[in-house]
Structures are given as C-alpha cells and as structure tokens.
Amino acid sequence: MADESLVEITEQSFVDLTEHQLQHHQQSIDLVDSLDLTNHALVIGQEFPDVETCRRALKDIAIALHFDLRIVKSDRSRFIAKCSKEGCPWRVHVAKCPNVPTFSIRTLHGAHTCEGVRNLHHQQASVGWVARSVESRIRDNPQYKPKEILQDIRDQHGVAVSYMQAWRGKERSMAALHGTFEEGYQLLPAYCEQIKKNNPGSIASVFSTGQDNCFQRLFISYRASIVGFLNACRPLLELDRAHLKGKYLGTLICASAVDADDGLFPLAFAVVDVESDENWMWFMSELRKLLGVNTDNMPRLTILSERQRGMVEAVETHFPSAFHGFCLRYVSENFRDTFKNSKLVNIFWSAVYALTPVEFESKISEMLEVSQDVILWIQEFPPQLWAVAYFEGVRYGHFTLGVTELLYNWALEGHELPIVQLMEHIRHQLSTWFENRQNMGMMWNSIVVPSAETKILEAIADARCYQVLRANEVEFEVVSTERTNIVDIRSRVCSCRRWQLYGVPCAHAAAALISSGKNAHVFADHCFKVESYRETYSQMIYPVPDKSLWKDVNESAKGDMLIRPPKTRRPPGRPKKKVLRIESLKRPKRIVQCGRCHMLGHSQKKCTMPI
C-alpha cells in the first residue's frame, strides 16, 4: 500500500536520514498529503510543512465532514485538536519532527460518535477560510462579488456565511494576491523606475503633495505609443476621464489617438487624486512635454472632448494651435434633453453631417420652423465646435469619443485593485493589443487597411453613376443628376469636401481617378495605408518584472519617497452605480436619401426607380 512508506518516523530515524533521503521523503509527503486531503482522510505519519498548514488542513476537513473542531494546544512544537462535541473520541496530535521544519501526525483517533454539525453555520468557516477558498477564483476574476461568493460556498461546501464574511474574505484575498491599497501607493516610485528601465524612452512619473507626501498625480506613456503616434497615426486625439471607485477614489485620464484601421491607440494616461482644472492643466502640460518639438513638425492637432472648462483652458494653454471640437454624444444629448423633440433631433443630426455651409443653413432653417429656441441653443454651442461644415479641424469621421468606453471598462475592471495593479492591468492590455495588431498588420497584402478599403470600394461603386469631364491633367468636373462637383486629384480636393474631411477619395474623386486610369486606393491619406498601420505597432511594450525582483523597492519606500494614499476616501455604504450603456455611445441611424430619385430609404447605387 502507498501508506506503508509513511509509517510513524522516530526521532532517531530523522537524525540518520541523509539529505537525499530527506528530499525523497518530502516528495512522498507532498504526494500522499494531497491525496489524503482530497479524500478528507488523515493518517498517522502524514506530514505538513508547518503548523499553520496543519491548522488550515484540519479546518478544511472539519468543514468538509461537518463537525466542529476545538483546539486543545497549539504552539511551535505541537498541535492538538479534538471534536467539540462532549464525549466524541475524535482527536489528533501533531508534533514537530526533529531537525526539519515539518510536523507529522503522531496520534489519531479518527472515528466520530457524535452527529456532527446539523445546520449550515460552521464555527471554522472564518474570514480567513473564506479568503483561502475563493483565492483562485478572485485571481482569475477580480469582479467576483460577495453575494456570488456566499452562494458558491453554500453550494460547494454546504456552509452558510454572512455577506460581511464574504466581503471581508474577498478583501483579505485581494490583499494577499495584489497587496493593499496603501502598499500600492508606496510602490509607485519603484514601479515608475521599472517602467523606464524595461521600456527605455517611456515616461513614468509620480507626484505627491503636502508634508505627508500624499499621492496627487501619476503620468505614464510608453515609448511604443509615443513612436507609433508621432510616426504613423493621424493628428487626432481624444480626451476623457473616468472616476475610480476604489478605496481612495481618484480619476483616470487618457489621451488616445486612432490607428489606421480606426482602432483606439492610447497615447498617455494618468491617475489624479481629484478631477480639477489644475490637474487638467498639469496633464496637458505633460502631454505637451511628451510630444515636445515634434508638435512643430506635425500637422495641426485636432482634439475632441466634452470641452469642460478645465479641458478648454488646458488645451488653449498648451496646444494653442490645435482645433478643439466637441464630442457629438455630449452635444446631441444636451440638444435632446433641451428640446425633447425627436423630429428636431433627426434634423440636428442631418445638420451635423452637412458637408457645406449651404446644406447646414438649410437644416438650421428647418429646425427654426419647429422651434425658435434653437437660436439660443446654438449661441451656447457654436457650430464651429461640432458641425462638419464649420469645424476647421479634421475628425476623419470620428464624431463621438471611443476612449469613453475604454476608460469606463478600465475603471470597472480595476476599481478593486491597488493603483500599481491597475496600471499593470492597463499595461497588459496595451501590450496584448500591440502584439495582436502587429501580427494582424503583417497578414494584410492590400494598399490600405480594411476599414478604408470598404469606404473606397463603396465610393467606386457609386462613381459608376457619374459623368466625368476632364478640364486638364489634374482637374475634373464630375456631373450627377443632383449637382456638379470639381475634383483636383493633385491637391486631393473635391468641392463636396468629403475627400478632405475623411481622408479617403469620395465617389466624385473615385470617378475622376478611374477616368484617368489611376488607382483610387493610392490616393487615400498616408495614415490609412497598411504601411502606416504596421509602423504604428512596430514597437513593443515590455513587461514589468514581479515586485520581488525590484532592487530599489525598499530604498524607494524610505524617507521622502514614501508616498501615502490621498486624503480622499470612499464614503461608507454601497456606491451608486451609473451604468454607461454602449448604445448611448452610438449616434442615431442616418436616413439615406437617394441622389437619383431623391426618395428616402435607399442609396443612389441601389436605386431601381425609373426616371
């Protein structure tokens, strides 16, 4: 039998064991120990690495077999426990083995004569036991809820624990896995050094305030993101923030670009103790330093945000030449809440997409026929900040902030993590994006990325309905039943303005290019080329080693470098949750109008009406 190799070992036998025998003996112990605990059985001679492991194992067995355990003696050399029921003979005596740190079972009376625990409440089901029971689940899913914990423990172990026990057990398990919130702030200086050490050229800095060195700000931007943005991304940035719901609250800020295939490309992110005009000014100052002299060589930036006061002042101060436009979700929600009229909202979106001032003014006239109050609203929200016809920057078709959903997910997934673990969660996601998108870009053989390819193919299909008249080598007159447009393929300009605003040839441009024997794909902006996409993700974001390998952790945690949590604390009680519905981020569906028959519901290329 397997148990015969684990008979009770005398003190003299331990002295005589060689080092090789001790190693072999320990391996046998581990194997039988795992088997016995799985079957909830104890045997004489069974060994444990230390007394704490022994105590935990006996607790687990008591809960599994539904009997109460009473500890008679527990010290450095022995552990004695018995069944708590009076008269029940079950008893175990565990003692330390000589010259080795292990403990072994010396005496065992394994039979119960009591009826055990007959209700769902068990004395051994402590907070510590709950923490150990859920540790593996919490490692995989930090969002594991206390109500799910207590239900799973009841289903798996037949034990009822309170909501508070489940909550405290989760807190203890999270601290064991990730450290405490307080430790997270203390590790920030060393963490920033590790980012810069393992990702040379990256920016990572932490700032504290007051005599207590309380956390105030953290700014991170990886070199891979900086290089990708400067060399290959379109000059477009989205700004937004999300409020953190952890123990010490805070605000997560992000500046994100957009890659060639319309994917989000976070350039820099920060955590601040509180959202304020001062902190927005600081974040934009750090962003300006990050881009440095390169901003002088770049095209003028277009920045999109909700244009809150702090954001507006910060952008005007540090990026005075940038075009700062509204997020259309924010503007449209304000318009909808102000007028509460679905007809007006539909006309409003038509005005947003109007490409020329004439089309825009026509839509404004339609709105004024419904309500004269539109004039007052337009005075508060000038069209130059949101209307395609008047906004001077180039949005490339981006009207709402995609970074809003990203920040919301980061805050939701990491709100129970210490700040260093939250930053690691973000770094891991960015690293995965870079690797996956780099591999995806290498598989593309086309000139432009798939999203641009789709738009160009649609333009080519629509171009078949147009008549092209060539004025000279570069200028063309494109005639349709609706109107005539002038196209200049050298300047990449069309009088409809769609080519300039979206960066890919419109249908009129496609017609002119096809008539002159040119490939329309070549005339897309460089930022839509597969070559640019590959360059965007040409660098890698390298991992940060485990904190046990950081040499300067202890040095950073001393003296002035010791950073304490901010003064802000999460208030007691259950926080109110504001659910951000993804549908609200999407603009209402546009009504398509045919340019041939002028009927609603289909496009010109699908028109079957006889003329």
Side-chain angles (χ1 to χ4, degrees), residues 242 403-413 578-580 582:
V403 72
T404 300
E405 183 182 345
L406 176 66
L407 282 172
Y408 175 78
N409 288 334
W410 280 351
L412 183 65
E413 294 163 2
K578 180 181 178 182
V579 178
L580 179 66
I582 304 306

Side-chain angles (χ1 to χ4, degrees), residues 191-328:
Y191 179 70
C192 290
E193 290 303 316
Q194 288 296 319
I195 288 177
K196 291 184 285 189
K197 178 181 177 181
N198 293 279
N199 292 271
S202 299
I203 298 174
S205 52
V206 59
F207 304 89
S208 59
T209 183
Q211 295 181 347
D212 295 335
N213 270 357
C214 292
F215 170 82
Q216 185 182 23
R217 300 161 177 160
L218 170 69
F219 184 91
I220 295 176
S221 181
Y222 291 97
R223 180 180 182 275
S225 300
I226 299 171
V227 171
F229 175 72
L230 292 176
N231 294 341
C233 284
R234 62 194 86 173
L236 174 69
L237 284 178
E238 297 182 1
L239 289 181
D240 207 354
R241 78 282 182 263
H243 297 293
L244 300 174
K245 303 298 182 182
K247 183 176 180 180
Y248 293 99
L249 303 178
T251 302
L252 178 62
I253 300 175
C254 183
S256 178
V258 183
D259 66 25
D261 202 37
D262 288 333
L264 284 174
F265 186 80
L267 173 61
F269 49 93
V271 176
V272 295
D273 54 352
V274 64
E275 183 184 10
S276 64
D277 294 354
E278 181 185 358
N279 279 334
W280 271 114
M281 190 68 72
W282 163 81
F283 179 77
M284 297 308 295
S285 171
E286 294 297 308
L287 193 62
R288 172 70 187 186
K289 293 176 189 175
L290 176 155
L291 299 176
V293 296
N294 294 288
T295 52
D296 298 330
N297 303 323
M298 289 172 54
R300 292 177 68 179
L301 273 176
T302 295
I303 298 176
L304 304 179
S305 73
E306 293 184 356
R307 284 188 61 92
Q308 295 177 338
R309 189 184 67 180
M311 293 182 185
V312 173
E313 293 177 358
V315 171
E316 289 177 351
T317 300
H318 297 289
F319 294 90
S321 63
F323 303 107
H324 190 186
F326 267 118
C327 163
L328 263 294

Side-chain angles (χ1 to χ4, degrees), residues 154-192:
R154 181 166 183 163
D155 294 342
Q156 295 170 15
H157 302 281
V159 175
V161 297
S162 67
Y163 183 91
M164 187 54 67
Q165 276 182 299
W167 186 85
R168 286 176 175 163
K170 179 183 177 180
E171 289 287 295
R172 188 174 297 185
S173 183
M174 290 287 290
L177 288 170
H178 306 295
T180 64
F181 282 89
E182 293 76 14
E183 289 171 353
Y185 289 104
Q186 294 174 10
L187 289 171
L188 279 177
Y191 179 70
C192 290

